[in-house]
Amino acid sequence: MRPQSHRVYVLAFDVAVDRLVAARVGLGGAILDRRAVDRPRAGPDLERVVDVLARFGRQLHDAAPADSVCAGVGASYCGMIRPGDGMVRYGPHLGWVDQAFGAELGRRLGLGLPVAVGNEAHLGAQAEQRRGAAVGFQNLIYLHGDVGVGGGIIVGGKLLGGDGGYGCELGHMIVNPHGGRPCGCGSRGCLEAEVGERALLDAADLIGRDAVRAVVDDADRGDPAARDALRTIGDWLGIGVANLINLFNPGMVIFGGMLRDMYPGAAAQVRARIAANVLPVAREQVRLRTSALGDDATLVGAAELGFAPLLADPLGVLTRTALRPTA
Ligand SMILES: [Zn+2]
């Protein structure tokens, strides 16, 4: 007895620094319907975020075919998430500290379903492994560029969560302690301070992913300043990646989020650092790739999180959601 895939869906949400996305996602990861809006970078905004996402979620739910069932809800958030209850412990860029995001969103959706929340880069890593660039890989590293840089490390098929679930903060690996750029975390010379959006856009008085893409386009057209900026970022990124390859011997390193756009202009420097700084036997197998799921990596990861209870206990969940599976 199996649920019919088109009848079962989850609601998936993605809270990035600069945008809010909601989607109805079917079994297998197909995005069936979606809503998105820009998010102003305006400080702690739990109420607005939950307001917008709950409205989107209700719209998606109401627009779903009458014979389909929502089996779960998953959300990706660009911060450090307490496993179990979806509490955002720390979201550095907009000042979220201990915000009960998962509980509030669940309450406002009113579907009687808990909202499972995960860190965006953790979810991106898992999505790429399950449905993207790293299908079949058991050991991989995913770097997600946003304003900062998040990370997901999968070892032996499992995400390294750490003791409290806050592991893989690759963006705060210190690569340039002497005279490095100040980081949003209060430290200096962290990887994300040297390769994140601010490092690229320092000269231009702009922020945001459109500005990042404009610099990348300028570099493609041969603009010397843009090329130099990407090369400098590539060198710091290469130092970070070289450390990670020596530590974890991954089969693949994936560049996602805004790093997906930035990587092609920085790849030569990354490869040069790997050649110079990684132990030869550790670099023999490693593949460097950009995210196959692109801007949807975190959303697809959130959907997988939403489906997890159904996959772990299909009959239990289907009974609770009152879906009668067809034989
Ligand atoms: Zn930092």
Side-chain angles (χ1 to χ4, degrees):
M1 195 162 65
R2 299 169 69 87
Q4 290 182 343
S5 62
H6 66 279
R7 294 184 63 204
V8 182
Y9 68 90
V10 294
L11 291 178
F13 299 97
D14 183 17
V15 182
V17 170
D18 59 358
R19 62 180 189 148
L20 304 172
V21 185
R24 188 164 62 83
V25 181
L27 268 173
I31 294 171
L32 305 169
D33 195 1
R34 71 158 75 210
R35 304 279 187 281
V37 68
D38 287 344
R39 178 191 188 191
R41 297 185 184 185
D45 55 352
L46 174 71
E47 210 166 302
R48 177 176 181 273
V49 167
V50 167
D51 212 47
V52 170
L53 294 184
R55 178 160 45 82
F56 282 171
R58 294 299 316 183
Q59 288 171 2
L60 292 164
H61 186 260
D62 292 347
D67 65 344
S68 61
V69 164
C70 181
V73 185
S76 163
Y77 190 90
C78 53
M80 300 169 87
I81 311 302
R82 184 162 68 198
D85 66 357
M87 172 78 82
V88 178
R89 295 299 315 282
Y90 183 56
H93 299 290
L94 295 178
W96 279 33
V97 176
D98 289 338
Q99 304 272 335
F101 169 61
E104 270 302 297
L105 181 56
R107 189 178 67 76
R108 292 287 302 278
L109 279 169
L111 299 173
L113 292 166
V115 179
V117 185
N119 166 271
E120 63 175 352
H122 292 185
L123 296 179
Q126 291 169 312
E128 289 292 337
Q129 188 201 18
R130 201 163 293 172
R131 313 211 175 273
V135 170
F137 284 74
Q138 297 298 303
N139 298 284
L140 65 109
I141 293 175
Y142 173 80
L143 289 123
H144 185 88
D146 200 306
V147 175
V149 173
I153 301 172
I154 292 179
V155 174
K158 294 205 157 133
L159 180 82
L160 275 185
D163 206 41
Y166 309 122
C168 305
E169 286 292 333
L170 309 184
H172 300 287
M173 177 167 57
I174 296 168
V175 294
N176 186 18
H178 305 298
R181 293 165 178 271
C183 182
C185 72
S187 186
R188 188 173 275 277
C190 295
L191 181 66
E192 78 167 40
E194 302 297 348
V195 312
E197 179 190 292
R198 286 193 186 100
L200 183 66
L201 300 177
D202 221 17
D205 193 19
L206 296 165
I207 54 168
R209 63 183 75 204
D210 290 344
V212 168
R213 283 173 182 152
V215 173
V216 169
D217 288 346
D218 287 348
D220 283 346
R221 282 195 293 269
D223 178 80
R227 285 193 153 182
D228 276 356
L230 279 177
R231 285 187 186 132
T232 302
I233 281 173
D235 193 45
W236 291 118
L237 186 59
I239 290 170
V241 168
N243 280 319
L244 293 167
I245 295 172
N246 277 331
L247 278 168
F248 295 101
N249 184 209
M252 185 178 283
V253 178
I254 301 170
F255 302 94
M258 284 193 237
L259 284 176
R260 181 169 173 260
D261 297 312
M262 291 155 68
Y263 180 70
Q269 281 65 38
V270 173
R271 290 186 185 279
R273 275 292 175 187
I274 291 171
N277 299 126
V278 175
L279 300 166
V281 294
R283 66 170 187 255
E284 279 171 354
Q285 308 275 0
V286 68
R287 294 163 175 81
L288 307 175
R289 296 283 186 275
T290 51
S291 159
L293 299 170
D295 285 342
D296 286 334
T298 49
L299 188 68
V300 169
E304 296 291 327
L305 197 59
F307 273 120
L310 175 72
L311 299 178
D313 176 21
L315 285 179
V317 170
L318 293 174
T319 306
R320 284 197 293 281
T321 54
L323 175 71
R324 298 255 176 269
T326 51

mmCIF file of all heavy atoms in Angstrom, residues 171-172 183 185 187 190, ligand 1:
data_model
loop_
_atom_site.group_PDB
_atom_site.id
_atom_site.type_symbol
_atom_site.label_atom_id
_atom_site.label_comp_id
_atom_site.label_asym_id
_atom_site.label_seq_id
_atom_site.Cartn_x
_atom_site.Cartn_y
_atom_site.Cartn_z
ATOM 1 N N GLY A 171 31.419 29.242 7.218
ATOM 2 C CA GLY A 171 31.628 30.664 6.963
ATOM 3 C C GLY A 171 32.438 31.341 8.052
ATOM 4 O O GLY A 171 33.028 32.400 7.826
ATOM 5 N N HIS A 172 32.471 30.753 9.235
ATOM 6 C CA HIS A 172 33.208 31.382 10.335
ATOM 7 C C HIS A 172 34.528 30.677 10.629
ATOM 8 O O HIS A 172 35.129 30.878 11.685
ATOM 9 C CB HIS A 172 32.309 31.500 11.574
ATOM 10 C CG HIS A 172 31.100 32.331 11.271
ATOM 11 N ND1 HIS A 172 31.164 33.699 11.113
ATOM 12 C CD2 HIS A 172 29.831 31.962 10.982
ATOM 13 C CE1 HIS A 172 29.959 34.151 10.773
ATOM 14 N NE2 HIS A 172 29.137 33.121 10.676
ATOM 15 N N CYS A 183 33.870 40.506 10.507
ATOM 16 C CA CYS A 183 32.769 39.600 10.168
ATOM 17 C C CYS A 183 31.539 39.979 10.987
ATOM 18 O O CYS A 183 31.653 40.523 12.088
ATOM 19 C CB CYS A 183 33.191 38.166 10.471
ATOM 20 S SG CYS A 183 31.946 36.933 10.043
ATOM 21 N N CYS A 185 29.854 38.202 12.734
ATOM 22 C CA CYS A 185 29.817 37.460 13.994
ATOM 23 C C CYS A 185 30.627 38.152 15.079
ATOM 24 O O CYS A 185 30.634 37.704 16.228
ATOM 25 C CB CYS A 185 30.336 36.037 13.784
ATOM 26 S SG CYS A 185 32.114 35.953 13.530
ATOM 27 N N SER A 187 33.929 38.513 14.852
ATOM 28 C CA SER A 187 35.315 38.113 14.659
ATOM 29 C C SER A 187 35.900 38.847 13.442
ATOM 30 O O SER A 187 35.290 39.784 12.924
ATOM 31 C CB SER A 187 35.349 36.583 14.471
ATOM 32 O OG SER A 187 36.675 36.125 14.409
ATOM 33 N N CYS A 190 37.028 35.855 8.999
ATOM 34 C CA CYS A 190 36.268 34.628 8.738
ATOM 35 C C CYS A 190 36.116 34.445 7.228
ATOM 36 O O CYS A 190 36.132 35.425 6.466
ATOM 37 C CB CYS A 190 34.865 34.718 9.326
ATOM 38 S SG CYS A 190 34.803 34.824 11.114
HETATM 39 ZN ZN ZN B 1 32.493 35.218 11.441
#
